[in-house]
Amino acid sequence: MKSVLLATLLTLGSASAQPLWLEAESFSNPGGWVLDTQFIDVMGSPYLMAHGMGKPVKDATTEIDLPAGTYTLWARTKNWVGPWDAKGAPGRFEISVNGTKLDHQFGTTGKDWQWEKSAPIKITGKTTTLALHDLTGFDGRIDALILAKDGEDFTPPADLATTNKLRRQLLGLPDKAPETTEYDLVVIGGGYSGMGAAISGARQGLKVAFIQNRPVLGGNGSSEIQVWAMGGTRRGLYPHLGEIVEEFADRASNSPAANPQEFNDKLKEDTVEAEKTISLFLNTHVYGVEMASSTTIPAATASGKYTGNIRSVIGLDTKTGKETRFLGKLFVDCTGHGSVGALAGAEFMMEEKGRMGMSNMWVMQNLKKPVSWPATPWALPLTLEDFPEPRALAPVGKKNAANMTGYDLGYTPVPDPEDYVHGEWFWESGFDKHPINDLELIRDHNFRAVYGAVSALKTLKADKYADFDLTWLAYIGGPRESRRIVGDMILNGEDMVKGTIHPDGCVPTTWDQDLHYPKEQYAKNFPNNPFISRAEFGKHTDRKSGYPVPYRCFYSKDIGNLFMAGRTISVERHALGSTRVMRTCGMMGEVVGKAAWICVRHHTSPRGVYDQYLDILKDLMNQPGAMRRDTLESALYLPANAKKLPEIAEDSINPAKLEGIVIDDTEAELTGKWAHGEGLKPYVGKHYSYTSEKDASARFPFSVKQTGSYEVRIYFQPHENRAKTAPITLLTADGEKSVTVDQTKSPKDPQGAYSLGTYKFNAGEESAVIFRTANSGGNVHLDAVQILPAK
C-alpha cells in the first residue's frame, strides 16, 4: 500500500519547484521503528525511532510516485547524544532508494534536529521504494524527508517556525483545519484522569470526544510506561468514587513487568469503547486552541476572573498529519503538562528548581545462554557504585496482592519472575530541567544512563549477567511534575495534614506527600544531572479514609469552560506529591464528568457548579459509578449488566484475627527514633515502623502459657532500602539466639509473615524478640511478631 502523499507548488524566488515532503510516520510499513509523539511541542512533529535496545530494527518502507529525474534527498534527523559531545553516534541509519543505499549515514552530526543532505539520486518515473535502514538499534530517529528536483535552488529552513510553515505548505494542509460537530465534553489526555472523565461524562448522557496522542490508553499506567496505579478508591465522603476507575485499572504485579499484558491496554480501550457516546481519537495530539469570540456558557461570577472560553482544540493525527478542530462546550485538560490551559492563556504554576523528574524504566531477562552487548562509548560511563543493582521481579501475590482480591487478572503471569531484573521508578532525571522544553533531553539522558548501566553489568559483573539481555526499556517517559493550572482554590499540603475539610471536598487522596529528589549516594559522579532518585515522604495524609480534595481545584479560574483532572489540578507542590497518583487522578476525572453534565444541563460553568449547584454534584457523587442516563434529561438508572467490581482490599490486618500471640509494633518497647508508615500493604494493626538510626532497637516481649516449642514469625514488607542483614535476638528457654534477615526480599507469605524458626519457651517466663540496627545495611523494618505452637 502506498503512503498518502500530498504536495503543492512552492515558489522559491523566481523558480517554481515541487519538492515532495514525506512524513516518516506516514511510511506504510514502519517495520521495527516506533512512533514517538512526546516532543511535538518541542521539535514540531512526531517522528520514527529505531528503539531496538542495541539490536538493529527491521527496515521501515514506503512507496512513492515521482516524475523521472534527478533529486536531492533531505532528511530531518538528530544525533541524539550530540548535546553532550559524547563519543560516537548511536543513532546512525541509512536510507535506500529502490534497494540501493545512499552513500550517507544519517544521524551522526550536530546537537539538535537538522536537515541532512544526500548525494543526488535518480528516479526512473516508476513507483519508487524508500527504506530506512537502522545500523545500531540505539534510537536513531527521523522526522521527515524532502525530495527536491535537482537543479532547483532549494535548501530546507533551519529554524522550527519556518520548518513547520514549509511542512504545512508542502503537505497541502488548509490554513484552517476542518471542524467536528459540537461535543458536550472534549477530554484531552488518555491517562487515568482522562478515562475517568470521558466514561463518567458519557454515563451522564454527554456526547464526548476523547483525544489521546498515543496508540494506547492508560498514560503512565499503560504497557508503554508501566507504572503501578496507586491511590485508594471507594472510601471517604463519597465511597462510590473510584468505582469507574476500578473497572479499567490494572492489577500489575510489578512495575515494570516482564509481561506487558499485566497493564491490560485492551481492558482500558474496551471499557471506553463500550460507551456509545464516546468518540475515541487515538494517535491525535492537541497542539492548538481556538478561543471563542463570544461567551455562550456563563462563566463570570463575582467569585473570580474570566478571560474567555475555549471554542475548539486543534488535533494533529500523528500518523497522517491531518488536522482537526474539535468543537466543544466544555474541555478537560488531562494532559499531565497543562498544555491546553497554557495554550488558552490560563495562569499556571511550575517550580523552577527542585522539580520532580521523569522515569524510563527497564527490564533485563536471563535467556539461559550467553548474550553479547555492543560497546556504548556514548553512554554514561558508569561503575557498579553509580547505580543500585536491579532487583528480581516479585511473583504475583507477593506484591500488590491486596489490590488483586476477587479480580480476574486477565493474563498469565510469567512462570519464572526471578529470571527478570528491573530498573524501577527511581531511574529518574530532569529535576531542574524544564519539563516541556527539555523533555527530549531528559528522556535521552535516561537512555544514556540505562545503556551505561547495562554495559557496566555486562562487563563488570559478567559472572552474573552474561546470560542477561535488555528486553524492555520504556521509550515513552513517565513524568511526575509539570504545569499546574490555577483554579479558584490552590490546595496546600498543610490542609491535608491538619485535616481541614472544605465544603466542596470530594476526591479522597490517600498517598503521602511524596516528592522525589536526587539520591545523594549515586549523584557524586553526576552532580549536574543525576539519574537515580529517592522518595521523600513528608507529611502524612489519612490513608484509610483519604483527604477530600476540593472541587474548586478542578477548573481554571481564568478560562470559563476548562476543567482539569490529574497532575494539572490547582495544588501547590507538596499537595501534588499526594494527589498525583493514578487512581486518585482517575477519581478526579469521575467528578469532572459529573460536573460537566450539570454545566450542560443547567447552562452554567464549572465555577457555576460550585456557586449554585454543589448539592446536585454531591448527589451525583453519592451514586454508583455504573449509574447512567440515556439522554441529558432522563433519570439515572443502574443497568442490569453493570460490571461487578473486585472487593475492597483492607489496608491493614487486624491483629485479633491472627492466630497465637501477636505483638504489634505499637506494643513494642522502642529505643531511638522510629518512623511509622502505612504505604506498603497489608500491614498489621495501625502502621509499621522503620529506622536506620544507629543503635536503635525494638523489644517485643511476650510470655507463653504452656512450656513447649513455638514457631516465631515476624511481619514486614520488603523494600529496596530495607536492611539486608537485620539483626534479631530471641530470648528463649535455651538462652539467646541470634538470626539475621534480608528485608529487601519478599516473605513467602503474601501477608508479610516470615518464619524465624522454632524455639523452646517456658511457661510464665518473659521472652522477647529484639530488633537492632547495628550493621543492618539499611532500614530495619518491623510490623508485628507472632508466636504459634509448633506443628
Side-chain angles (χ1 to χ4, degrees):
M1 176 177 145
K2 296 181 183 178
S3 297
V4 178
L5 302 180
L6 301 173
T8 60
L9 292 177
L10 174 68
T11 301
L12 301 168
S14 60
S16 179
Q18 295 181 340
L20 177 73
W21 182 293
L22 175 59
E23 294 281 14
E25 56 270 19
S26 72
F27 269 44
S28 57
N29 178 11
W33 295 65
V34 297
L35 178 63
D36 198 330
T37 62
Q38 301 168 95
F39 317 117
I40 297 173
D41 297 330
V42 182
M43 53 76 61
S45 173
Y47 57 80
L48 289 187
M49 184 166 69
H51 187 58
M53 294 170 287
K55 301 175 184 62
V57 305
K58 293 181 180 180
D59 290 0
T61 60
T62 199
E63 294 180 342
I64 61 173
D65 285 332
L66 276 178
T70 303
Y71 291 81
T72 298
L73 181 145
W74 299 81
R76 188 170 185 244
T77 184
K78 181 181 185 179
N79 174 22
W80 65 268
V81 299
W84 298 280
D85 294 319
K87 297 179 181 178
R92 294 176 290 114
F93 66 95
E94 296 173 326
I95 298 175
S96 67
V97 180
N98 289 329
T100 301
K101 293 177 182 176
L102 304 182
D103 187 19
H104 182 89
Q105 287 191 4
F106 294 85
T108 63
T109 63
K111 296 187 176 185
D112 204 346
W113 285 91
Q114 63 181 16
W115 290 100
E116 293 188 28
K117 178 182 179 181
S118 75
I121 57 177
K122 289 185 178 181
I123 300 295
T124 62
K126 300 178 181 179
T127 297
T128 299
T129 300
L130 298 177
L132 307 176
H133 179 65
D134 174 35
L135 295 173
T136 68
F138 283 121
D139 305 297
R141 55 201 68 178
I142 179 170
D143 166 25
L145 300 97
I146 294 178
L147 288 159
K149 199 74 175 286
D150 210 32
E152 300 290 351
D153 184 16
F154 174 79
T155 300
D159 66 288
L160 179 58
T162 311
T163 295
N164 281 337
K165 184 178 180 181
L166 177 64
R167 187 193 309 269
R168 297 185 64 84
Q169 287 178 308
L170 293 185
L171 290 178
L173 297 177
D175 291 336
K176 198 167 187 178
E179 72 178 18
T180 63
T181 57
E182 186 178 54
Y183 289 93
D184 296 314
L185 184 65
V186 180
V187 181
I188 305 98
Y192 271 58
S193 56
M195 292 183 68
I199 296 169
S200 175
R203 290 182 182 178
Q204 294 295 326
L206 299 179
K207 182 182 177 184
V208 179
F210 188 17
I211 305 172
Q212 161 72 328
N213 66 1
R214 297 299 307 160
V216 297
L217 296 170
N220 282 351
S222 70
S223 64
E224 293 186 324
I225 303 175
Q226 298 194 15
V227 179
W228 286 329
M230 302 302 290
T233 59
R234 297 181 289 171
R235 64 192 68 208
L237 298 176
Y238 304 98
H240 286 297
L241 290 181
E243 290 180 348
I244 291 177
V245 171
E246 295 303 335
E247 290 185 34
F248 61 75
D250 64 78
R251 298 304 191 276
S253 61
N254 285 285
S255 176
N259 181 1
Q261 291 182 16
E262 291 194 27
F263 287 85
N264 221 329
D265 297 337
K266 185 177 185 302
L267 171 65
K268 295 176 174 66
E269 188 167 343
D270 287 349
T271 305
V272 169
E273 294 281 15
E275 302 298 329
K276 303 306 181 187
T277 61
I278 295 179
S279 297
L280 178 61
F281 300 92
L282 297 173
N283 296 303
T284 302
H285 179 79
V286 168
Y287 75 93
V289 164
E290 180 184 47
M291 301 300 290
S293 56
S294 61
T295 303
T296 57
I297 299 178
T301 69
S303 61
K305 178 182 176 184
Y306 166 61
T307 59
N309 279 1
I310 298 173
R311 182 181 185 275
S312 66
V313 294
I314 306 170
L316 168 74
D317 187 307
T318 57
K319 290 188 174 181
T320 69
K322 178 185 175 183
E323 294 178 345
T324 303
R325 287 183 295 150
F326 294 90
L327 184 65
K329 296 174 183 175
L330 297 153
F331 297 82
V332 195
D333 190 330
C334 301
T335 62
H337 289 300
S339 302
V340 176
L343 289 166
E347 183 181 349
F348 61 84
M349 300 169 281
M350 187 173 67
E351 273 67 32
E352 292 300 318
K353 297 291 183 181
R355 187 188 307 108
M356 290 184 282
M358 180 174 77
S359 293
N360 292 83
M361 298 186 292
W362 50 280
V363 173
M364 292 180 74
Q365 181 182 358
N366 187 342
L367 299 181
K368 308 298 176 70
K369 61 181 180 180
V371 178
S372 62
W373 177 253
T376 58
W378 40 265
L380 294 187
L382 303 184
T383 68
L384 297 177
E385 287 71 41
D386 289 327
F387 61 94
E389 186 172 352
R391 295 191 306 159
L393 299 182
V396 172
K398 300 292 177 59
K399 265 201 173 181
N400 223 20
N403 287 334
M404 297 182 183
T405 307
Y407 190 86
D408 178 11
L409 294 177
Y411 64 89
T412 301
V414 293
D416 300 306
E418 65 274 8
D419 286 342
Y420 300 82
V421 296
H422 55 174
E424 301 171 69
W425 59 266
F426 46 77
W427 285 80
E428 173 184 0
S429 74
F431 299 99
D432 287 337
K433 309 301 180 186
H434 195 285
I436 308 297
N437 300 339
D438 294 332
L439 205 57
E440 189 175 22
L441 291 174
I442 295 170
R443 194 278 307 275
D444 289 347
H445 181 71
N446 287 346
F447 276 179
R448 293 183 70 214
V450 173
Y451 292 136
V454 174
S455 292
L457 293 171
K458 295 286 287 183
T459 57
L460 303 178
K461 212 166 186 177
D463 55 332
K464 180 176 180 179
Y465 290 97
D467 293 354
F468 278 80
D469 195 15
L470 182 63
T471 54
W472 181 78
L473 165 60
Y475 67 93
I476 304 295
R480 289 185 174 83
E481 187 172 349
S482 189
R483 303 184 189 100
R484 305 184 306 281
I485 301 167
V486 178
D488 275 351
M489 179 180 181
I490 301 174
L491 178 65
N492 63 72
E494 283 301 312
D495 278 3
M496 295 181 182
V497 177
K498 294 175 182 177
T500 304
I501 307 300
H502 297 278
D504 53 337
C506 51
V507 170
T509 180
T510 58
W511 197 250
D512 287 336
Q513 293 175 25
D514 168 20
L515 299 179
H516 290 197
Y517 301 96
K519 191 164 187 176
E520 294 80 0
Q521 175 185 354
Y522 301 114
K524 295 176 183 178
N525 294 329
F526 303 92
N528 296 326
N529 204 347
F531 56 87
I532 299 293
S533 71
R534 60 178 174 85
E536 184 173 296
F537 287 89
K539 303 297 179 63
H540 296 274
T541 56
D542 182 348
R543 282 190 167 272
K544 293 182 176 61
S545 298
Y547 174 81
V549 181
Y551 164 75
R552 283 169 291 167
C553 299
F554 302 159
Y555 61 87
S556 167
K557 71 178 180 65
D558 302 321
I559 309 302
N561 60 344
L562 178 63
F563 286 105
M564 304 90 71
R567 297 196 316 272
T568 61
I569 67 168
S570 182
V571 292
E572 58 86 43
R573 70 186 312 262
H574 291 90
L576 175 70
S578 172
T579 60
R580 63 182 173 80
V581 293
M582 281 182 282
R583 278 184 165 86
T584 304
C585 292
M587 289 186 286
M588 298 174 198
E590 291 184 31
V591 172
V592 163
K594 297 173 190 295
W597 174 80
I598 299 173
C599 290
V600 175
R601 180 67 179 82
H602 294 277
H603 305 285
T604 190
S605 66
R607 177 178 291 138
V609 172
Y610 174 76
D611 286 343
Q612 298 176 297
Y613 299 98
L614 188 57
D615 287 345
I616 296 179
L617 179 60
K618 289 180 177 181
D619 179 67
L620 291 177
M621 291 189 295
N622 272 318
Q623 302 299 320
M627 295 284 280
R628 63 173 63 245
R629 62 180 93 240
D630 294 327
T631 67
L632 290 174
E633 293 79 18
S634 61
L636 286 168
Y637 67 94
L638 186 66
N641 62 346
K643 187 173 183 179
K644 185 178 180 180
L645 297 175
E647 300 172 12
I648 299 177
E650 293 293 334
D651 291 342
S652 63
I653 302 166
N654 185 347
K657 294 184 178 181
L658 295 175
E659 295 181 278
I661 300 170
V662 178
I663 312 100
D664 189 30
D665 62 316
T666 57
E667 303 170 287
E669 299 167 1
L670 303 178
T671 60
K673 186 178 180 181
W674 291 80
H676 305 304
E678 303 166 16
L680 300 175
K681 308 181 186 78
Y683 50 85
V684 177
K686 294 183 178 180
H687 52 59
Y688 51 78
S689 301
Y690 58 93
T691 189
S692 60
E693 187 178 76
K694 186 179 179 181
D695 297 329
S697 66
R699 189 175 189 272
F700 289 76
F702 65 93
S703 177
V704 298
K705 292 183 179 181
Q706 293 183 340
T707 298
S709 295
Y710 292 82
E711 181 187 7
V712 179
R713 297 178 179 179
I714 62 172
Y715 282 77
F716 69 90
Q717 291 293 336
H719 194 272
E720 67 268 10
N721 67 7
R722 295 281 180 257
K724 292 187 176 181
T725 53
I728 301 174
T729 301
L730 297 97
L731 302 184
T732 75
D734 297 322
E736 291 190 5
K737 305 292 182 180
S738 297
V739 297
T740 59
V741 176
D742 185 350
Q743 294 190 319
T744 67
K745 295 182 178 179
S746 300
K748 293 181 179 179
D749 183 82
Q751 292 185 318
Y754 178 91
S755 179
L756 298 180
T758 301
Y759 303 89
K760 182 181 177 182
F761 298 100
N762 291 329
E765 291 183 1
E766 183 172 335
S767 306
V769 177
I770 303 167
F771 292 74
R772 293 187 173 88
T773 57
N775 302 315
S776 62
N779 283 325
V780 173
H781 182 278
L782 48 93
D783 190 1
V785 170
Q786 183 181 25
I787 313 298
L788 294 167
K791 294 180 179 179

